[in-house]
Amino acid sequence: MSQALASSPVAEIVAELLTDVARQAEAAAVLGIADVSLDVRCGCKGPGTIAWLDSLAVPVPEKPNTWLPLGEGGRIARLGMTEFLVEDDAAVVERLTTTPRATGVYPVQHEDAALVLGGERVSELLRQTCNVNFAALKPADRPVVLTSLVGVGVTVLPEQSAKGLIYRIWCDGSYGRYLLETLHDIAHELGGGTVLPQHLYA
């Protein structure tokens, strides 16, 4: 299982594209992209996984392709029937990565590039880059969507934050630079840009 990465797969391109500090709040309000690849995360799957998570007092989403919030602001996403991604709750990730796995539970490595999109024009970017109609989804249902953006396979999780609706996106780290650079170019055309995460959610 993965924990925190030593370095973000997109650190170099973020450094090149990051909006000037004085303009980041303004850009984020329109259409911001942030790198959150260093958030701690881990994954597990297999026929014994649900019972194992239950035994560790980890909430399990009832339906496939949905997610639940965790206590420290993190989340657990159910990817299909018996695969799970846990992110940004250090206590839960620590529990899962240090507890011996039960029979039928297998680790899933997550060396992902992880991005957050948000802002007034985020729906326009998604319409240009993906064939899923995200506007038709209800964030209250906590959906998780496996799809592609600009030809890159991604997992997308819409989430209502204190600053508005955001979209968490994960992809294989080797495609992270291309994905971020392409999304940044579109965001820039729409009046936004690459920003620090705190400008998109509290």
Side-chain angles (χ1 to χ4, degrees), residues 9-53:
V10 295
E12 290 185 6
I13 189 65
V14 167
E16 293 175 23
L17 299 177
L18 195 63
T19 303
D20 290 342
V21 173
R23 287 197 60 253
Q24 285 193 30
E26 177 186 351
V30 177
L31 177 50
I33 304 171
D35 174 28
V36 291
S37 301
L38 294 184
D39 286 353
V40 63
R41 66 181 60 86
C42 69
C44 52
K45 67 178 181 179
T49 303
I50 292 175
W52 184 62
L53 292 172

Side-chain angles (χ1 to χ4, degrees), residues 1 44 48-57 95-97 99-102 105:
M1 296 187 196
C44 52
T49 303
I50 292 175
W52 184 62
L53 292 172
D54 282 339
S55 74
L56 296 175
R95 200 181 317 157
L96 296 181
T97 54
T99 301
R101 293 187 299 276
V105 180

Side-chain angles (χ1 to χ4, degrees), residues 117 121-132 134 149 156 167 169:
L117 306 180
R121 305 189 72 176
V122 67
S123 294
E124 294 179 54
L125 180 146
L126 292 172
R127 284 197 299 270
Q128 290 186 40
T129 58
C130 184
N131 61 8
V132 173
F134 284 97
L149 288 178
V156 183
Y167 294 85
I169 298 173

Side-chain angles (χ1 to χ4, degrees), residues 8-177:
S8 166
V10 295
E12 290 185 6
I13 189 65
V14 167
E16 293 175 23
L17 299 177
L18 195 63
T19 303
D20 290 342
V21 173
R23 287 197 60 253
Q24 285 193 30
E26 177 186 351
V30 177
L31 177 50
I33 304 171
D35 174 28
V36 291
S37 301
L38 294 184
D39 286 353
V40 63
R41 66 181 60 86
C42 69
C44 52
K45 67 178 181 179
T49 303
I50 292 175
W52 184 62
L53 292 172
D54 282 339
S55 74
L56 296 175
V58 177
V60 174
E62 182 178 346
K63 298 178 182 179
N65 300 321
T66 60
W67 67 280
L68 289 174
L70 297 175
E72 293 186 9
R75 60 212 57 85
I76 177 169
R78 184 171 182 174
L79 312 176
M81 294 300 295
T82 61
E83 182 175 345
F84 297 86
L85 166 66
V86 176
E87 182 184 73
D88 208 22
D89 187 319
V92 174
V93 170
E94 177 74 12
R95 200 181 317 157
L96 296 181
T97 54
T98 58
T99 301
R101 293 187 299 276
T103 301
V105 180
Y106 308 99
V108 178
Q109 293 296 322
H110 278 284
E111 297 182 350
D112 304 323
L115 308 176
V116 174
L117 306 180
E120 294 176 359
R121 305 189 72 176
V122 67
S123 294
E124 294 179 54
L125 180 146
L126 292 172
R127 284 197 299 270
Q128 290 186 40
T129 58
C130 184
N131 61 8
V132 173
N133 181 12
F134 284 97
L137 300 178
K138 297 178 180 178
D141 292 338
R142 298 191 176 120
V144 177
V145 180
L146 280 66
T147 183
S148 65
L149 288 178
V150 295
V152 176
V154 295
T155 301
V156 183
L157 185 157
E159 179 181 345
Q160 192 68 45
S161 78
K163 295 188 177 183
L165 183 62
I166 60 173
Y167 294 85
R168 295 185 179 274
I169 298 173
W170 298 270
C171 75
D172 185 292
S174 62
Y175 295 104
R177 182 184 178 98

